[in-house]
Structure formats: structure tokens, C-alpha cells
Amino acid sequence: MASNQKLLNWVKECSELCQPLTVEWVDGSKEESDRLTKLMVKEGLATALNPQKLPNCIHFRSDPSDVARVENRTYIASRSKDEAGPTNNWIDPDELKGVMKGLYKGCMKGRTMYVIPFSMGPIGSPISKIGVEITDSPYVVLNMGIMTRMGTKVLEALGENGEFIPCLHSIGKPLAEGESDGGKWPCAPIEQKYISHFPEDRTIWSYGSGYGGNALLGKKCLALRIASAIARDEGWLAEHMLILCITSPEGKKKYVAAAFPSACGKTNLAMLIPTIPGWKVETIGDDIAWMKFGKDGRLYAINPEAGFFGVAPGTSMDSNPNAMKAISKNTIYTNVALTADNDVWWEGIGCDAPGKLTDWTGKEWDMATATKPAAHPNARFTAPAHQCPAIAREWDNPEGVPISAILFGGRRPSTVPLIHEAYNWEHGVFMGSIVGSEVTAAALDLKAGTIRRDPFAMLPFCGYHMGDYFQHWINMGKKSSEDKLPKIFFVNWFRKSSDGKWLWPGYGDNSRVLKWIFQRLEGQVKAKETAIGFVPDANGIDTQGLNISGSNMQELLNVNKEEWLKEVESIKEHYNKFGNRLPAKLWEELGALESRLKKA
Ligand code: GTP
Ligand code: SPV
Ligand code: MN
């Protein structure tokens, strides 16, 4: 039990409001997770997977309405609407608290209320933050046990007077006396779901969903939305970025962070196995980076998480063997399909379905006659980071790792070349501010396939006015000098030919692009100066051993003036949304781009 009076008071307050059957303090032990797993299997909410094939793994099927983040039910309830900015949903915090208190009242009836102390970042690191999540979902407890440092050791670090971020979560489905879930994933209907953030109070209230970022509150809610607001005030960065270490054949290491929108390849890049001889990539993190300047003027990053909550479809021994190995034991699978012998299957796993399956909705599924995928496109695995064979030794170093390059990217079927490099920090901030991507299945309420601007891959995750966020990035550059700041690049693995085929093989072959970046950082390779930035020379990218035509390579690196002039118009529309909070510097960058294009 905790000795922290503030925590004890808050737990008491929540239990009086939510009226659970019992309150349980989560200790983070193996006995505890075994007990909760058994409980859920017994209640028909989970399936224990084949212990020969997938030791200590379990499978969940969510409600068909509760399969991804819900952006239109996600709120930044800052005191003023202006503070939340034009890209966030806003409700007056007092009004929202009133509505949500009404929902929370008695919402845990018939259930256990779990109190989860967790640390984002290594316990005791100066960059880490402690949170406490209260939830009525044992599924959340199990996931938080993998995704964060969780349990008694965190309470000890918190001590009597430590600060913590309170995160209240309920699935929003009280049970009447004697009632059970009947084997069905409990959640509230969409119009009752609220994923709410109170940035000034540093508080999170989530209601009605049990899935991913809506419910595992350490992840997007704390480590991005609340942390981004803290980071602005304290002068650091909380970003939707993977972190990797790349080692050259000569044994030189560099650390790279990369921001791509949801389901655009962070996990895959973080774990890639290079296809070029002598190069090595190791994983530090696959989704979130917290970065602060060190005394030496360099930017140091930690991965605040302890596990991977990764997209299952498309993951195979071919595309991402490191992920496949990481998820071979002690893993939670959600919304993938099941085989007859309780193994998992999904689209793009690398083999045909072995006979009839049970799909993610629980129905029989036959590959020969199926009209819908067996696994939900946003089906996920939850696996401990240390199980990844490529995990870097320094992945949980409390000091973090010094970042040499920052990459931005998204799914752009046209216009944006495979790689280009910013002229300087401010031009790089401009690049981050114009990230756009074809929409994926990672959020429920968006139309997949259309292109939307997702600046810094943070559109759904920025806890304050995004115009101020851009300014914060510009200001960060003034805290150090160009030679110590990370260099900024823009990548696009997703360019397509006119007949709709990927031009670039992607995955392990992305190491070829990382090599170019490495060599640019080392000043070993020249580049072509174009209107949009530095682009590799015709022979800049190492394509040895790669079956790619010269014309495809040319197309991949092509900067088309007409397409980019159209892009400029679309960026103007994008920028206009931020009104006078858009930094003048970025308008200047856009103007400079336009005039360079017109001269080209
Ligand atoms: P979140 O966890 O939602 O933040 O996603 P993420 O950015 O980690 O994306 P992830 O690596 O899970 O990839 C999402 C999808 O993109 C998967 O279906 C991958 O197979 C696919 N993908 C990843 N890298 C590449 C690539 O280089 N080329 C192509 N064509 N597809 C890729
Ligand atoms: C994302 O959508 O960017 C994810 C999954 O990483 S979730 O945790 O649901 O946000
Ligand atoms: Mn993500």
C-alpha cells in the first residue's frame, strides 16, 4: 500500500465515485498477471494460446465498436478553447468534468477497481514521470504491465511526497448483482466514450473504451498529450517517434529518431534488419521519444515505454523478423484471427491460413470464400521490449541516447521523394509541420485512404495549440548550435508508380536510406541541392544487390515542380487553420520554398 497521502486521498475519492466491489493495488508480480489471465480466460474474455507455439500468450477479441483510438471523442480540455487550438476537440473543463462525473458515478459496480502505479521511463531517471492509472479493466492491467514499469517498485520510488499524474479509466459498463460480461468485451457506446485531458491539472479521465491508446493511459494520453504540454513549459520534447541505433561497418554508432503517423512504419523501421552488408540497426523504442538537451548541447532521447503495442497485420518473418521473435512468448494479442489449434494468424503473416479460422469478430472464416479480413487491420500485439532480439543494450539507459538525426515521413503515393534533407533546423521544423499521410486504420473515425496533414505525426497527440507547438520546436533549436542539433530529414517509403505499385521495396531495404543519412552526417557524400532540400545524387543511394530499375530510382528521387507548387497551395490552406498562432518563420519558409520552386 502507498504511503503517499495525495495518492491515498485520490484513490478514496475515485472509489467513492465509481463504487467498485473491491479495490486492488497492482504489484506487478508474475503471480498477479497469472491470476488475472486465468480469471479472464475463465470468464470467456480471453483465450490462452497454444503453449507449445506461443508460451504464456493470450488472445482477446474486442467489441467490434472498440478497435482503435477515437479521435472525435478525444478532448483537450484546457481552460480556454484557444489554448487547445484548432486541431483538438475542446469542451470547457468544468462542463466536461460534470458530464464525466455523471458517467463515473457507480460505473465500476460489480467490478474490481485496480490501482496501477507506473513509470514512463526507467524508474528514477531524471526524464521519467510517474503516473497512477485507476481502471476497472484487468486487460488494461495486463497491458500496462508490459508497456510500462509497473507496480510496487514504482510506489517505492514515488515515496510519501512524490508527484504523480492521476489517470482515471473506466470501461463504462457496471454490472448488476450476479450479472457477468458473458464472455463479451465490455465497453460503452461510442457517444458515451470520452478520452479527456486536463493539461493544466496534468490529469487524464478516460471513459467507455478498453482499447489501446484510449485505455492504456501511459501511452498517448500521458506520454504525448500531457507530456507535450509539460515539455513546452519545461523546454523539452515529447514526440511520436521511434528511436534506433545504426552502426556502420567501421563500428561507428549513431542514434536516429523518426516521426511517422500511426501505422506508417515506426515499429518496422525501429527493428529493421539491414540488407546491406556490415550495417547493424538496433532498437531503442518504437513509438514515443522524450528528448532533452544534455550539458554538452546535444539532444538526448529516452523511450518512456517498456513494451511494443504494435500493428499485427503485415508483420511477418519476411518484413519484420525481430518483431516476430519479440512476440513469440509472453505476448497479448488483440483482434487477430485464431487457428483451430489456438495459434494466431493475420493478413500478411507470410503464409496462407492453415484451414478454417475464427476471425477477429469470433466468426468462422475461410480464406477461399472470405470477403473481409480475418484480423482487424488495427489488430495489435503487446510484447515486452527486452524480448526483441535487436533491442539495444542501452535501450533503458536513464541518461538517454544522443540523437544525430530526426526523420519525418508519412504515406505519400506521389510528390514526396524517397529522401530529402533540410537545409537547417528551421527548415527541418517546416518539414515537420507539413507532414501528411494517407489515413490508416489506427483511428476509428477517419476515412482510410485520404491524405491529411499530420504535423510531426502529432496531430492526434499534441496537448495544446499546434501553432505554439511549432514555435516550441523553433525555440528548441535556439537552445543549441547547428553543429550539435540533430540534422533533419524527410523520408517516404510509400511512393507509388502510375499503375499503383510501390516504387520502393521498403522494410530492410530502408537501411539503404539510413546509410545515406549516416554518410551525410559524416560529410562523406555529396547531395543535389533542390528547391525542397538536399536530395541524393543519381548514385547516392546504395542499390547494390537490389533489383530496382534506374527509371524507378529516378522516379523515387524526382522533385516535380508542378506537383510541389500544388503542394505549396495545400500547405497554405493547412497553415491558414492556425491563424496568427502560426509562427511567422514558417510562412517565411513556405514563401522561400515557393520562390525556389518558381525559379527552378
Ligand atoms: P503505430 O503503432 O500505429 O504508431 O504504427 P507504426 O508507425 O509503428 O507502423 P508499423 O511499423 O506497425 O507499420 C504499419 C504498417 O505499415 C504495417 O502494415 C507495415 O507492414 C507497413 N510498413 C511498414 N514499413 C513499411 C515499408 O517500408 N514499406 C511498406 N510498403 N510498408 C511498410
Ligand atoms: C497509434 O495509433 O499511433 C498507436 C496505437 O501507436 S495507440 O496506442 O492505440 O495509440
Ligand atoms: Mn503510435
PDB file of all heavy atoms in Angstrom, residues 12 22 236 324 419 510:
ATOM      1  N   LYS A  12      -9.280   7.061  -2.757  1.00  0.00           N
ATOM      2  CA  LYS A  12     -10.513   7.023  -1.959  1.00  0.00           C
ATOM      3  C   LYS A  12     -11.639   7.777  -2.680  1.00  0.00           C
ATOM      4  O   LYS A  12     -12.756   7.279  -2.822  1.00  0.00           O
ATOM      5  CB  LYS A  12     -10.224   7.663  -0.591  1.00  0.00           C
ATOM      6  CG  LYS A  12     -11.390   7.651   0.373  1.00  0.00           C
ATOM      7  CD  LYS A  12     -10.883   7.799   1.807  1.00  0.00           C
ATOM      8  CE  LYS A  12     -12.044   7.927   2.782  1.00  0.00           C
ATOM      9  NZ  LYS A  12     -12.528   9.329   2.895  1.00  0.00           N
ATOM     10  N   THR A  22     -14.495  -4.046  -5.039  1.00  0.00           N
ATOM     11  CA  THR A  22     -13.266  -4.045  -4.237  1.00  0.00           C
ATOM     12  C   THR A  22     -12.224  -3.162  -4.917  1.00  0.00           C
ATOM     13  O   THR A  22     -12.352  -2.817  -6.095  1.00  0.00           O
ATOM     14  CB  THR A  22     -12.627  -5.454  -4.157  1.00  0.00           C
ATOM     15  OG1 THR A  22     -12.560  -5.986  -5.474  1.00  0.00           O
ATOM     16  CG2 THR A  22     -13.400  -6.384  -3.251  1.00  0.00           C
ATOM     17  N   TRP A 236      11.533  20.889 -23.198  1.00  0.00           N
ATOM     18  CA  TRP A 236      11.990  19.641 -23.831  1.00  0.00           C
ATOM     19  C   TRP A 236      10.956  19.179 -24.841  1.00  0.00           C
ATOM     20  O   TRP A 236      10.047  19.943 -25.184  1.00  0.00           O
ATOM     21  CB  TRP A 236      12.360  18.574 -22.795  1.00  0.00           C
ATOM     22  CG  TRP A 236      11.359  18.264 -21.721  1.00  0.00           C
ATOM     23  CD1 TRP A 236      11.120  19.012 -20.586  1.00  0.00           C
ATOM     24  CD2 TRP A 236      10.464  17.130 -21.650  1.00  0.00           C
ATOM     25  NE1 TRP A 236      10.140  18.406 -19.825  1.00  0.00           N
ATOM     26  CE2 TRP A 236       9.725  17.247 -20.443  1.00  0.00           C
ATOM     27  CE3 TRP A 236      10.233  16.029 -22.463  1.00  0.00           C
ATOM     28  CZ2 TRP A 236       8.763  16.304 -20.061  1.00  0.00           C
ATOM     29  CZ3 TRP A 236       9.277  15.084 -22.084  1.00  0.00           C
ATOM     30  CH2 TRP A 236       8.567  15.224 -20.889  1.00  0.00           C
ATOM     31  N   MET A 324       8.591 -10.552 -34.997  1.00  0.00           N
ATOM     32  CA  MET A 324       8.043 -11.912 -34.897  1.00  0.00           C
ATOM     33  C   MET A 324       8.668 -12.657 -33.717  1.00  0.00           C
ATOM     34  O   MET A 324       7.987 -13.371 -32.982  1.00  0.00           O
ATOM     35  CB  MET A 324       8.271 -12.691 -36.193  1.00  0.00           C
ATOM     36  CG  MET A 324       7.429 -12.220 -37.369  1.00  0.00           C
ATOM     37  SD  MET A 324       5.648 -12.260 -37.076  1.00  0.00           S
ATOM     38  CE  MET A 324       5.287 -13.989 -37.397  1.00  0.00           C
ATOM     39  N   ILE A 419      13.802  10.377 -50.104  1.00  0.00           N
ATOM     40  CA  ILE A 419      14.522  11.043 -49.007  1.00  0.00           C
ATOM     41  C   ILE A 419      14.915  12.441 -49.436  1.00  0.00           C
ATOM     42  O   ILE A 419      15.319  12.653 -50.577  1.00  0.00           O
ATOM     43  CB  ILE A 419      15.786  10.230 -48.596  1.00  0.00           C
ATOM     44  CG1 ILE A 419      16.724  11.023 -47.661  1.00  0.00           C
ATOM     45  CG2 ILE A 419      16.623   9.798 -49.808  1.00  0.00           C
ATOM     46  CD1 ILE A 419      16.465  10.822 -46.223  1.00  0.00           C
ATOM     47  N   ASN A 510      15.136  -0.200 -46.323  1.00  0.00           N
ATOM     48  CA  ASN A 510      15.213   1.176 -45.839  1.00  0.00           C
ATOM     49  C   ASN A 510      16.588   1.470 -45.236  1.00  0.00           C
ATOM     50  O   ASN A 510      16.961   2.632 -45.055  1.00  0.00           O
ATOM     51  CB  ASN A 510      14.093   1.459 -44.833  1.00  0.00           C
ATOM     52  CG  ASN A 510      12.717   1.427 -45.494  1.00  0.00           C
ATOM     53  OD1 ASN A 510      12.595   1.678 -46.699  1.00  0.00           O
ATOM     54  ND2 ASN A 510      11.691   1.100 -44.729  1.00  0.00           N
TER      55      ASN A 510
END
